[in-house]
Amino acid sequence: MDAFKADQRPIRLGVQIAPQHAPYAAIREAAAISEDLGADIIFNWDHFYPLSGEPDGLHFESWTILAAWAEQTNRIEIGPLVNCNTYRNPNLQADMARTIDHISDGRFIFGTGSGWFERDYDEYGYEFGTVGSRLDALAADLPTIRDRWTKLNPAPTRDIPILIGGGGEKKTLRLVAEHADIWHSFGDVETMTRKLGILEQHAAEVGRDVSEIELSNELRGRDEKTADELLEVGVRLFTIGVTGPTYDIDTVRRWIAWRDAHNG
């Protein structure tokens, strides 16, 4: 825990722009405003249908949006929160990530996870499997993705940061310890404290310095007091989700002000 508490990284704010219930023009505008306001990262998600509201409402695909954002923006980092590993061949994922890395001049974050939304799989013809089989696939594919990055021509512009989402203690946190630059989780302070101890154990087992991993958590339904408590246990990247049809930019402003007050 001390390694996380002593983390001197600046606090960063990511805005997850849900690609649902809005025309693309509104999504593009939300991305532009987030960059103009000074957010650090814009994320979307890798699903094919809305996760809330009307199940068959407006919805757009993740990776094509990310490529558009890479061309549209100039400063802000971009990435999926998170990519679904089992939708695509791992070598293809690596090549897509490398390409968006170049389009964005080195601002892409490869956020990934094992997938969970069964409708995506059923409607698009992917095998859903089990939680365990999907995590096993992620474990098998991450080394392939990282290896492909060493073979592509041109190579990525930088070591593309890997963000892994999820909180499973046996498999997911082991993958975080082995591969992640950022761990994204949803737990409260008590849960985070316990899981960070487990993550440290996994890191020690694989010979990794756990202080290399940036901790990320979400702000949905939380206030500044809770965010301050998460900050105390080592969280440095905070994400706030906004969704269509009207993206809540006032909430983005609120959390940017909180970030700036802490960063000085």
Side-chain angles (χ1 to χ4, degrees), residues 23-79:
Y24 184 71
I27 296 171
R28 182 176 59 236
E29 182 182 26
I33 293 172
S34 295
E35 180 171 48
D36 289 346
L37 289 175
D40 298 286
I41 309 167
I42 44 175
F43 295 107
N44 60 16
W45 64 40
D46 190 16
H47 295 286
F48 305 129
Y49 295 92
L51 298 185
S52 62
E54 169 54 48
D56 293 312
L58 299 177
H59 198 279
F60 293 95
E61 192 275 330
S62 171
W63 281 83
T64 41
I65 289 176
L66 292 168
W69 284 352
E71 192 67 53
Q72 168 193 340
T73 58
N74 297 295
R75 175 197 58 79
I76 201 165
E77 289 190 295
I78 59 176

Side-chain angles (χ1 to χ4, degrees), residues 21-196:
H21 305 309
Y24 184 71
I27 296 171
R28 182 176 59 236
E29 182 182 26
I33 293 172
S34 295
E35 180 171 48
D36 289 346
L37 289 175
D40 298 286
I41 309 167
I42 44 175
F43 295 107
N44 60 16
W45 64 40
D46 190 16
H47 295 286
F48 305 129
Y49 295 92
L51 298 185
S52 62
E54 169 54 48
D56 293 312
L58 299 177
H59 198 279
F60 293 95
E61 192 275 330
S62 171
W63 281 83
T64 41
I65 289 176
L66 292 168
W69 284 352
E71 192 67 53
Q72 168 193 340
T73 58
N74 297 295
R75 175 197 58 79
I76 201 165
E77 289 190 295
I78 59 176
L81 190 63
V82 290
N83 168 68
C84 179
N85 176 67
T86 43
Y87 296 162
R88 305 169 187 89
N89 171 285
N91 289 286
L92 175 61
Q93 294 180 55
D95 204 341
M96 293 163 64
R98 181 281 310 253
T99 299
I100 296 179
D101 167 68
H102 274 265
I103 296 170
S104 67
D105 293 324
R107 294 180 288 116
F108 184 72
I109 295 172
F110 182 64
T112 195
S114 59
W116 62 272
F117 190 38
E118 188 168 5
R119 185 184 182 189
D120 289 336
Y121 290 81
D122 293 344
E123 295 268 9
Y124 276 57
Y126 299 107
E127 181 179 351
F128 187 54
T130 65
V131 172
S133 69
R134 294 193 299 277
L135 280 167
D136 289 343
L138 181 61
D141 290 345
L142 278 167
T144 301
I145 291 165
R146 297 179 68 180
D147 181 62
R148 178 57 56 186
W149 283 336
T150 70
K151 298 174 179 177
L152 290 167
N153 185 18
T157 67
R158 63 172 178 169
D159 291 332
I160 297 175
I162 296 173
L163 177 154
I164 295 177
E169 296 175 5
K170 292 182 179 180
K171 292 186 176 182
T172 302
L173 291 184
R174 177 79 177 198
L175 293 176
V176 170
E178 290 182 304
H179 300 287
D181 300 285
I182 306 168
W183 172 43
H184 183 73
S185 65
F186 308 91
D188 58 19
V189 171
E190 181 179 356
T191 302
M192 284 288 295
T193 301
R194 178 171 56 80
K195 289 183 183 290
L196 289 175

Side-chain angles (χ1 to χ4, degrees), residues 248-261:
D248 183 4
I249 299 303
D250 286 342
T251 296
V252 176
R253 289 191 180 94
R254 167 191 167 193
W255 286 109
I256 286 176
W258 174 84
R259 178 204 65 187
D260 291 348

